[in-house]
Amino acid sequence: MPAKKEIAVIGLGKFGYALAKALTELGHSVVGVDINPEYVRRAQDIIAQAYQADATDEKMLGQIGIKELDRVIVSTGDSMEASILVVLNLQAVGVKNIWVKAISEAHERVLYKLGVPFVVFPEAFVAAQMANRLTAPGLQEYFGLGKDVAVREIIVENWIGKTLRDLDLTNKYQVQVIAFRLAGNSEFHFVPQADRALKTGDVLVLLGRTEDIMRVDKF
């Protein structure tokens, strides 16, 4: 089982609330932040802590102690400007592990340029999955290899200068690198080169059994 984490969700609208609820059900401790009092009241009985506060206020983020949490997810509705300002404030107070819900491709590109390691664009992802299921029914079976199969993105920090051949992840952990993204880029590439030296901020996508994938650490 993955270790339990302390996670902040900034923005408790439909997506943020559903994410906070799901994380809580998985056993993680969730801190929610939203400026809307109705959203905060709705979340209070579900998550560990819920704050009514303006996340575009850098001082407020410091007061909450958000830097001490394992992950911070930003889901600030339809305002790209608010989302970017929250990200800049999080970076200013020293938060490293930031995940952001993008609302457009332009927003996604800006977030990657700001150095956000994980960006999700749910509408585009779901639309692509639906299109695949409508036109090529067999394609989604790639994601249905079994309950114990998972895909994990990891950011390179300690493997700088090493190659995939050096790391030998397939034999050591029984996982396969199926894609990679260069630091600062938004586009993934497939069939990674075994002898390319890894750099800080490169993202590797691993495929394997959940237990095996979670054994990969100090990357």
Side-chain angles (χ1 to χ4, degrees):
M1 288 289 292
K4 303 306 179 186
K5 301 186 182 299
E6 291 185 307
I7 302 171
V9 177
I10 297 177
L12 295 170
K14 292 179 181 178
F15 181 85
Y17 175 77
L19 178 61
K21 186 170 182 256
L23 288 168
T24 299
E25 290 171 350
L26 289 172
H28 301 291
S29 178
V30 178
V31 176
V33 179
D34 202 293
I35 199 170
N36 187 321
E38 292 185 15
Y39 290 171
V40 173
R41 280 195 296 271
R42 179 179 62 176
Q44 279 177 337
D45 295 332
I46 302 294
I47 64 179
Q49 298 179 72
Y51 294 97
Q52 183 187 343
D54 183 359
T56 62
D57 182 345
E58 182 182 331
K59 291 182 180 178
M60 184 282 302
L61 292 175
Q63 291 170 358
I64 291 177
I66 210 158
K67 179 184 176 182
E68 309 306 319
L69 303 181
D70 298 303
R71 306 276 192 279
V72 179
I73 298 99
V74 179
S75 174
T76 53
D78 296 328
S79 174
M80 184 169 80
E81 292 79 6
S83 172
I84 291 170
L85 183 54
V86 171
V87 168
L88 292 173
N89 286 341
L90 290 170
Q91 292 174 332
V93 299
V95 177
K96 301 295 185 186
N97 205 324
I98 304 171
W99 296 56
V100 185
K101 173 184 176 288
I103 61 172
S104 67
E105 291 182 358
H107 187 199
E108 183 181 32
R109 287 195 299 272
V110 170
L111 291 168
Y112 279 124
K113 290 296 182 183
L114 289 175
V116 175
F118 296 104
V119 180
V120 294
F121 189 2
E123 291 85 355
F125 178 79
V126 173
Q129 294 302 304
M130 184 176 290
N132 287 330
R133 292 191 178 200
L134 287 168
T135 58
L139 191 57
Q140 82 274 14
E141 293 306 315
Y142 174 80
F143 296 98
L145 297 176
K147 278 191 173 182
D148 197 35
V149 177
V151 174
R152 180 186 182 192
E153 291 183 20
I154 61 174
I155 305 174
V156 173
E157 292 183 1
N158 297 317
W159 291 345
I160 301 164
K162 294 185 177 180
T163 67
L164 294 180
R165 193 184 303 280
D166 295 332
L167 295 171
D168 195 21
L169 299 177
T170 301
N171 289 317
K172 288 182 180 177
Y173 298 101
Q174 289 74 56
V175 301
Q176 184 71 41
V177 178
I178 59 172
F180 71 97
R181 175 165 58 79
L182 301 178
N185 287 3
S186 60
E187 193 171 323
F188 278 95
H189 302 275
F190 300 91
V191 192
Q193 297 176 348
D195 295 315
R196 176 187 172 275
L198 298 172
K199 299 180 180 179
T200 304
D202 284 352
V203 176
L204 302 179
V205 181
L206 308 181
L207 174 69
R209 292 175 60 244
T210 304
E211 181 181 353
D212 294 330
I213 279 184
M214 298 312 297
R215 288 194 299 118
V216 180
D217 60 359
K218 297 180 181 179
F219 39 79

